Amino acid sequence: MSEAHKRKRVDNMNEVDHLLEHRFETLSLEEKLEVKRLGPHHPRDIGISQTAGKNIRAFNVEWFAKKKWLMASIQKKALFCFPCLLFGGSGGEVTWSRTGYKDLKHLSERITKHESSNSHLDNAMKLGLFGWVNVTVQIDSAYQRGIDEHNRQVEENRYVLGRIINCIKLCGKCETALRGHDESADSLNPGIFRCIFETVCEGDARLQRHYDAQPVFKGTSPYRTIRLHADETTDVSCKSQMVVVLRYLLP
């Protein structure tokens, strides 16, 4: 395709006859933005006229300067509204978006009536906002990022809690006390639970990251929010039953 043909194809994208054949909603985003950039097509020699008795009324192209939304079809010899042609008219305003307006005698009053109609005002607003960053999409995107971050944090917390519980279960299985005599940072006897937990952290980057980042709930604090209760009983048949209750206490 030659450059001249490409240029002609782009230049006529905003013409009425082209937009009637290729509806705005069927165009690509790039094409829609180009139509908006070009604006309404204002042909200088459109030949719109109306005979009234011996008088002939001809359309004055100065209307294009007065009403920027006004445009004309060379083939139909009729006037159209640019925003309504793009986004569609409703009710009596369909004339300005589909068939075209030709009654020059009442042109002034019909123009005034049309540009104050709800349909025109709505379409003009749509055209003005088209191509702008969609605030709703931004809000939805930020909201979704918040949800994703929350879900990621929940999954991370569940993983860490699961590893801590495994350490507690190991201490219970071995019937060893979780607490040590001295759980300070430089203690030589911090307790079996803390030793197991810190050993597990050495081979688990996610758990180590939690251990290094959390100043309060590491799983080794003397003020644990996790409590493990076990109770055993033997029935008349000499069968032992043990109940284990794991409690997570909110501060």
Side-chain angles (χ1 to χ4, degrees):
M1 184 183 295
S2 66
E3 290 298 322
H5 185 71
K6 288 182 181 179
R7 182 64 182 173
K8 183 179 184 302
R9 183 178 64 85
V10 173
D11 286 345
N12 74 355
M13 287 180 67
N14 65 329
E15 294 180 4
V16 172
D17 302 307
H18 179 85
L19 290 171
L20 287 174
E21 182 179 356
H22 306 279
R23 301 305 304 174
F24 186 71
E25 63 268 18
T26 66
L27 303 180
S28 67
L29 176 60
E30 182 181 2
E31 291 172 326
K32 289 177 180 179
L33 292 173
E34 179 63 14
V35 170
K36 178 181 178 180
R37 185 192 69 80
L38 292 172
H41 180 237
H42 295 155
R44 308 309 297 177
D45 184 17
I46 56 176
I48 299 178
S49 61
Q50 183 180 27
T51 301
K54 296 182 179 181
N55 299 322
I56 298 178
R57 291 188 178 90
F59 175 75
N60 191 337
V61 294
E62 292 182 0
W63 274 108
F64 290 143
K66 297 177 182 178
K67 305 297 178 183
K68 300 297 184 182
W69 53 264
L70 197 61
M71 59 191 309
S73 165
I74 297 177
Q75 293 183 13
K76 292 181 175 296
K77 296 187 182 301
L79 301 172
F80 288 80
C81 171
F82 186 56
C84 295
L85 177 61
L86 301 185
F87 296 99
S90 62
E93 306 307 319
V94 174
T95 300
W96 294 94
S97 61
R98 289 292 187 269
T99 58
Y101 183 80
K102 300 180 180 181
D103 185 6
L104 299 181
K105 180 178 180 181
H106 303 96
L107 178 61
S108 179
E109 59 185 82
R110 288 298 302 272
I111 282 180
T112 301
K113 180 180 178 181
H114 174 70
E115 65 181 359
S116 62
S117 67
N118 292 333
S119 177
H120 172 81
L121 294 174
D122 183 53
N123 290 331
M125 182 177 66
K126 289 179 181 178
L127 178 61
L129 294 177
F130 185 79
W132 284 25
V133 176
N134 193 323
V135 176
T136 303
V137 172
Q138 281 193 328
I139 293 175
D140 289 345
S141 177
Y143 179 68
Q144 186 60 49
R145 287 198 300 271
I147 292 177
D148 293 341
E149 176 60 25
H150 171 76
N151 292 339
R152 186 199 65 78
Q153 189 61 54
V154 168
E155 194 278 331
E156 188 74 11
N157 292 342
R158 286 176 176 171
Y159 175 80
V160 171
L161 183 59
R163 300 308 302 271
I164 292 175
I165 291 174
N166 288 339
C167 293
I168 295 174
K169 289 168 62 178
L170 179 59
C171 292
K173 183 177 181 179
C174 297
E175 298 183 355
T176 58
L178 275 69
R179 295 283 301 278
H181 295 292
D182 180 8
E183 294 191 353
S184 60
D186 55 352
S187 173
L188 298 178
N189 183 23
I192 187 64
F193 170 77
R194 179 168 177 174
C195 290
I196 294 174
F197 185 75
E198 291 180 345
T199 301
V200 173
C201 284
E202 293 177 1
D204 190 324
R206 294 173 68 182
L207 200 60
Q208 184 68 55
R209 185 166 57 247
H210 166 83
Y211 185 74
D212 296 337
Q214 298 296 328
V216 179
F217 180 54
K218 294 177 179 291
T220 61
S221 169
Y223 306 102
R224 294 186 185 94
T225 55
I226 295 180
R227 296 291 184 266
L228 185 65
H229 302 272
D231 188 21
E232 185 268 341
T233 183
T234 303
D235 60 18
V236 293
S237 63
C238 297
K239 291 184 178 180
S240 296
Q241 295 182 352
M242 176 175 285
V243 177
V244 178
V245 179
L246 182 65
R247 302 175 63 198
Y248 178 70
L249 305 178
L250 294 175

